[in-house]
Amino acid sequence: MKNILTAFLLILYTVASAQDKKEMKVPPRTVRYDLYVADTTVTYGKKTKRAIAVNGQIPMPTLTFTEGDTALIYVHNKLNEETSLHWHGLFLPNKMDGVPFLTQMPIKPHSTYVYKFPIVQHGTHWYHSHSELQEQIGMYGAFIINKKKEWDIPTVPIVISEWTDMKPEEVHRRLKNADDWFAIQKGTTQSYAEAIGTGHFKTKLSNEWKRMNAMDVSDVYYDTFLINGKNQNVQPQFKAGDKVRLRIANGGASDYFWLSYSGGKITVVATDGNDVEPVEVDRLIIAVSETYDVVVTIPENKSYEFLVTPEDRTKSASLWLGRGEKVSAKKLPKLKYFAGMKMMNDMMDMGGNMVEMEGMKMQNQVMDMNTVMYPEVTGEEHRKGKAKKAEMPGMQMPNDQSMAGMNMGTDNSDIVTLNYAMLRAPKKTTLPAGPWKELKFDLTGNMNRYVWTLDNKTVSESDKILIKKGENVRIILYNNSMMRHPMHLHGHDFRLVNGQGEYAPMKNIIDIMPMERDTIEFAAREPGGDWFFHCHILYHMMSGMGRVFSYENSAPNPEIPNPKLAQRKLFSDDREFHPMARIGIESNGSDGQIMLANTRYRFTTEWRVGFDKEMGYETESHFGRYLGRNQWLFPYIGWDFRKRTIDPSDKNIFGQSVAPGDNLFGQRNTKNFRQVFHLGLQYTLPMLIVADASVDHKGNVRFQLSREDIPVSSRLRFQFMVNTDKEYMAGLRYIVTKYFGLSTHYDSDMGYGAGLTLNY
């Protein structure tokens, strides 16, 4: 028997469609909003922090229009910095799209800018700042466009977001510097002690042998998660039997969210502002910037939890629908990172490329990310001695309803999870006749250095992609990285080729999981302009993961009076240099490092200063460029100066004389004095060991092996260095806070020391 709710919704669609045909013409109207952008402070987390509010609120006001209106939006920038607003998912004139330095110049501080455009579509959309990292601190809101005849059903616009007490610039800097403080906060460092304790030592070794860092699910640790600005949002106005439409937008900067409901099934009726045939599921995952319209039922006069859980499952947020006794949704179990790491090891080869599984077509989320990348098995990680049998449960093929794929546990085989293959448009979506242009992109990235690219090129390293008005564009995307990427096309909807033939759904966001190969198609029907195509994870986009589609023979954009200056500003995002510093102060002296690095280049200065002349002092500086997609190769030029005065009779802990002698190449050792320029080459070996070969201007050759931050336990790190000049070092560092640690090490020149290390 067909589900009653689904039948009801299909009837609503039929009636609404018939009414639309009979609808009388509505006189055109202009709807004006005044948006005042200003600094504020909030206490969403543990501390009071700066945020940006619009009209005094976070999220920004919900803007509501009806198809056929004209939007007139005055943006009054009260900030001391530039800003902009992008109307996500809207079809509008290019100069109104709101991308600073691409479609307009940014809105200057203490000035007003007017956006005006026709409303030619309907559905659930949202809007946000496209300037720097402002989206992370409050600049996001719902943009709702009603049909001329909407359903007569209670509706609640929902904007999901996350909050961190850390400044977003600091978040970005830490990601760029491979800082693992976020993993410590989440309890997901996947250290060797944890691997041994859970019987996954071999898995950890294999992971590092392939030069991979610990498995990552969501890049950033967040202090809290929000639904319309609240962690616990209560909507008590609903009663038993009510059907409620939730118009949901993921306004988060970097988190995917699982959506589940304690009152029964969730019926998906639209995505990215486009209707789909109703489909019932138990849960769905909403990608960054994606929107879904769903319908839920209030079974009894109780309060039912609509649970929002970030992909890493660290915390959650709740929307309570109805009044009375609370009915909680089942919490999602913790992730089993080592089981996921084992799967990940099998999916990647030694060259850092994803290995497509033979006979298994990865596309359209048909294989549930939750089971492919981090198998969902309830309970704790298995302890040593019990892991062999249980660490990889038998794979189950999907049930007929969910096509969720490879469910890795026995407790969730009946859970129906939405995937793109289940979405079907109510009307044919075939593109109009015209010539075709086909493009292929590999989604590429480097988690070690947090570089995200298409075909290993950032926005600033690539040319605009020229398209012609009237042609159809097919884009084939292959995710050759270990992260999901929500790819968004500005100003256009695209067909998501998903096995539904002529009824393929229309979207403007596609979530592409690792190892997936997906196809999208769109009709180039805009009159002209430059349109951004990018990953909507904010920190991926700022790292350069995108392209610009440009219509050929477009007229100059009057909003961009100086195109060359605008291009330099646009490119500056992924070219930005990020600083890092580590300063050790121990009983035998001080050693440390200062680094400036961007996508390709790095400048580093290291020093070691002893407390007496026998320990001496040394400074070494390198400037170079990373090569290759994985950036394992780093040629550099540098300068090295050192000096110390020693007693020739002194010996090190191995009984060797500390007096200069020959190095391992038979050349005179210069470890007591050198002042040289050198050329060198660093290469990352398996186990993440860095091999460094250099030759100075006097012909002396040095070869060195080193590694920093080997995760012994969740907070304890080991490092070592040894080279052919018979210099060596080994040490431990215990991370106390994000800026402070306790450290100890032995250095062949400076001896043993203990103290503290400051990190930035």
Side-chain angles (χ1 to χ4, degrees):
M1 183 176 177
K2 199 162 187 176
N3 181 273
I4 296 174
L5 178 58
T6 303
F8 167 78
L9 293 171
L10 284 170
I11 291 170
L12 271 179
Y13 267 113
T14 304
V15 172
S17 177
Q19 287 177 331
D20 281 345
K21 292 177 182 178
K22 298 177 183 178
E23 190 68 25
M24 299 293 292
K25 287 187 177 180
V26 178
R29 61 174 190 159
T30 297
V31 179
R32 173 171 171 166
Y33 284 96
D34 283 84
L35 303 179
Y36 295 87
V37 185
D39 278 320
T40 188
T41 56
V42 297
T43 313
Y44 286 136
K46 298 176 182 177
K47 301 175 182 178
T48 300
K49 290 290 183 178
R50 182 222 178 194
I52 299 176
V54 173
N55 294 4
Q57 66 181 73
I58 298 174
M60 298 189 290
T62 296
L63 306 185
T64 305
F65 299 87
T66 299
E67 191 172 6
D69 289 344
T70 294
L72 182 63
I73 303 171
Y74 283 73
V75 180
H76 309 279
N77 184 9
K78 302 299 183 183
L79 300 171
N80 293 322
E81 61 188 63
E82 298 172 338
T83 192
S84 63
L85 285 176
H86 166 60
W87 318 100
H88 183 104
L90 267 63
F91 310 148
L92 73 184
N94 183 249
K95 65 181 181 179
M96 293 285 102
D97 194 45
V99 182
F101 306 115
L102 184 65
T103 66
Q104 68 170 90
M105 296 304 289
I107 305 170
K108 294 294 185 182
H110 308 288
S111 68
T112 296
Y113 186 83
V114 180
Y115 292 96
K116 184 178 182 180
F117 48 87
I119 301 295
V120 298
Q121 63 200 110
H122 58 77
T124 300
H125 304 280
W126 67 297
Y127 67 113
H128 58 87
S129 171
H130 227 293
S131 292
E132 297 293 334
L133 302 168
Q134 292 175 347
E135 180 189 322
Q136 178 75 90
I137 55 174
M139 288 193 69
Y140 46 81
F143 197 107
I144 304 298
I145 307 175
N146 291 313
K147 299 177 182 177
K148 292 181 180 179
K149 183 65 178 180
E150 268 295 350
W151 293 0
D152 184 16
I153 181 174
T155 300
V156 181
I158 298 295
V159 179
I160 305 170
S161 61
E162 72 273 271
W163 178 262
T164 170
D165 282 343
M166 188 179 288
K167 290 181 179 180
E169 293 81 8
E170 175 69 0
V171 170
H172 197 201
R173 188 187 68 82
R174 285 184 173 274
L175 291 170
K176 284 289 187 179
N177 290 318
D179 187 293
D180 65 353
W181 179 247
F182 295 137
I184 292 173
Q185 290 180 292
K186 293 181 185 184
T188 61
T189 51
Q190 299 151 64
S191 66
Y192 275 99
E194 294 166 293
I196 293 169
T198 56
H200 287 284
F201 179 68
K202 184 178 178 181
T203 298
K204 179 66 176 176
L205 279 179
S206 178
N207 181 253
E208 294 201 337
W209 182 254
K210 292 189 174 183
R211 292 173 275 206
M212 289 189 285
N213 287 340
M215 184 174 173
D216 184 48
V217 178
S218 303
D219 300 330
V220 183
Y221 172 84
Y222 287 102
D223 292 277
T224 193
F225 298 92
L226 305 171
I227 298 174
N228 290 350
K230 298 178 180 178
N231 181 258
Q232 299 294 307
N233 193 303
V234 179
Q235 300 287 330
Q237 65 269 31
F238 304 113
K239 61 183 184 302
D242 283 350
K243 290 178 173 55
V244 182
R245 176 168 61 160
L246 304 178
R247 307 188 96 162
I248 306 167
N250 182 353
S254 63
D255 267 296
Y256 284 64
F257 293 97
W258 283 105
L259 309 179
S260 55
Y261 178 55
S262 65
K265 297 287 187 179
I266 298 171
T267 303
V268 177
V269 298
T271 179
D272 291 346
N274 295 289
D275 293 338
V276 296
E277 290 188 0
V279 56
E280 273 194 351
V281 296
D282 294 298
R283 68 179 185 179
L284 65 149
I285 193 166
I286 183 169
V288 177
S289 84
E290 201 168 30
T291 75
Y292 280 103
D293 287 29
V294 305
V295 175
V296 296
T297 301
I298 312 299
E300 301 178 47
N301 285 318
K302 297 179 181 180
S303 183
Y304 293 89
E305 184 179 25
F306 190 84
L307 182 64
V308 173
T309 309
E311 191 183 14
D312 62 12
R313 306 184 181 189
T314 49
K315 297 175 183 176
S316 64
S318 300
L319 173 69
W320 297 93
L321 300 172
R323 185 189 304 274
E325 177 188 348
K326 284 190 172 184
V327 181
S328 298
K330 184 179 179 181
K331 300 296 186 283
L332 275 67
K334 290 184 177 181
L335 300 177
K336 303 195 72 173
Y337 281 88
F338 284 112
M341 182 185 287
K342 187 177 191 305
M343 176 72 76
M344 184 172 68
N345 293 344
D346 295 337
M347 291 166 62
M348 184 168 282
D349 63 21
M350 285 298 294
N353 294 298
M354 304 297 293
V355 180
E356 295 188 76
M357 297 181 183
E358 187 176 351
M360 195 169 291
K361 199 172 183 180
M362 295 282 286
Q363 63 178 13
N364 296 315
Q365 303 177 324
V366 170
M367 294 184 68
D368 186 353
M369 176 71 168
N370 210 52
T371 56
V372 173
M373 289 300 297
Y374 33 90
E376 182 173 343
V377 183
T378 56
E380 299 297 319
E381 292 277 8
H382 300 287
R383 295 292 159 186
K384 187 177 181 180
K386 298 182 181 180
K388 284 188 178 180
K389 183 178 179 180
E391 69 178 1
M392 287 298 291
M395 295 181 182
Q396 293 177 277
M397 290 312 293
N399 59 60
D400 292 338
Q401 288 177 296
S402 74
M403 290 291 288
M406 294 182 67
N407 290 318
M408 302 289 288
T410 58
D411 64 330
N412 67 343
S413 58
D414 295 327
I415 294 175
V416 180
T417 302
L418 182 74
N419 63 63
Y420 286 156
M422 300 161 70
L423 298 176
R424 182 179 176 86
K427 299 178 182 178
K428 290 183 180 180
T429 61
T430 48
L431 300 184
W436 282 84
K437 182 186 188 77
E438 184 172 285
L439 303 166
K440 295 182 180 180
F441 295 109
D442 279 5
L443 311 184
T444 44
N446 180 339
M447 199 67 199
N448 294 6
R449 300 198 62 250
Y450 211 78
V451 174
W452 299 103
T453 51
L454 297 181
D455 291 337
N456 193 33
K457 289 185 178 180
T458 65
V459 171
S460 71
E461 295 170 335
S462 54
D463 296 326
K464 293 179 180 180
I465 299 171
L466 296 179
I467 56 177
K468 296 178 181 178
K469 183 176 180 180
E471 69 182 0
N472 296 318
V473 182
R474 177 180 293 120
I475 306 174
I476 300 171
L477 298 161
Y478 175 63
N479 189 355
N480 194 20
S481 79
M482 296 305 298
M483 296 289 291
R484 303 176 85 130
H485 297 289
M487 301 302 296
H488 169 51
L489 177 61
H490 284 218
H492 303 70
D493 277 348
F494 50 73
R495 298 180 79 242
L496 172 56
V497 179
N498 69 338
Q500 298 289 355
E502 295 180 319
Y503 295 88
M506 300 297 292
K507 289 179 62 62
N508 59 64
I509 279 285
I510 177 173
D511 168 33
I512 308 180
M513 297 193 296
M515 217 164 58
E516 275 199 356
R517 191 181 303 278
D518 291 309
T519 301
I520 61 176
E521 305 170 342
F522 71 92
R525 295 297 183 268
E526 291 300 316
D530 295 331
W531 301 93
F532 207 7
F533 177 59
H534 64 92
C535 178
H536 218 289
I537 294 176
L538 179 60
Y539 303 102
H540 290 193
M541 181 189 74
M542 294 295 288
S543 297
M545 195 171 197
R547 286 291 187 276
V548 175
F549 285 94
S550 183
Y551 280 82
E552 288 187 12
N553 303 316
S554 293
N557 184 347
E559 298 293 321
I560 306 289
N562 188 338
K564 289 185 178 180
L565 173 64
Q567 184 184 69
R568 287 199 300 271
K569 293 285 190 178
L570 180 71
F571 288 175
S572 66
D573 285 345
D574 65 70
R575 290 175 174 176
E576 181 183 2
F577 278 85
H578 299 268
M580 184 274 267
R582 180 177 296 172
I583 302 173
I585 304 172
E586 298 184 1
S587 56
N588 61 343
S590 172
D591 65 282
Q593 178 187 73
I594 294 175
M595 180 175 73
L596 280 173
N598 71 356
T599 303
R600 306 295 179 190
Y601 293 93
R602 189 189 78 194
F603 173 76
T604 307
T605 291
E606 305 173 12
W607 71 87
R608 284 161 289 279
V609 180
F611 286 150
D612 58 47
K613 62 181 181 179
E614 291 186 356
M615 297 176 183
Y617 52 89
E618 176 181 11
T619 178
E620 186 170 346
S621 299
H622 295 155
F623 176 76
R625 188 184 194 278
Y626 287 96
L627 302 178
R629 179 175 66 84
N630 296 305
Q631 300 199 351
W632 290 334
L633 194 62
F634 179 74
Y636 64 85
I637 58 174
W639 178 74
D640 188 358
F641 176 81
R642 70 173 305 164
K643 182 179 181 181
R644 68 173 184 152
T645 303
I646 55 95
D647 184 335
S649 63
D650 287 346
K651 296 182 179 180
N652 61 28
I653 58 172
F654 298 106
Q656 300 169 325
S657 171
V658 297
D662 291 341
N663 65 22
L664 296 185
F665 297 111
Q667 297 173 316
R668 192 63 178 169
N669 193 309
T670 61
K671 64 182 182 178
N672 284 347
F673 180 81
R674 61 176 170 256
Q675 185 173 352
V676 294
F677 290 98
H678 54 251
L679 297 175
L681 187 68
Q682 293 181 356
Y683 184 72
T684 302
L685 300 171
M687 300 303 295
L688 297 171
I689 294 170
V690 176
D692 186 331
S694 65
V695 56
D696 65 34
H697 74 277
K698 296 181 179 180
N700 294 311
V701 176
R702 181 173 60 178
F703 182 75
Q704 178 172 292
L705 297 174
S706 65
R707 183 177 169 188
E708 297 181 351
D709 291 338
I710 300 172
V712 179
S713 71
S714 61
R715 289 178 179 259
L716 187 63
R717 304 290 179 266
F718 175 69
Q719 60 181 332
F720 74 88
M721 180 277 293
V722 60
N723 66 32
T724 53
D725 279 345
K726 301 179 182 178
E727 298 170 310
Y728 49 88
M729 179 277 295
L732 293 167
R733 179 171 61 96
Y734 183 83
I735 301 169
V736 179
T737 72
K738 61 183 176 182
Y739 295 121
F740 170 76
L742 302 175
S743 57
T744 181
H745 80 285
Y746 182 86
D747 185 283
S748 57
D749 296 338
M750 296 171 59
Y752 174 80
L756 56 87
T757 297
L758 305 176
N759 299 281
Y760 173 73

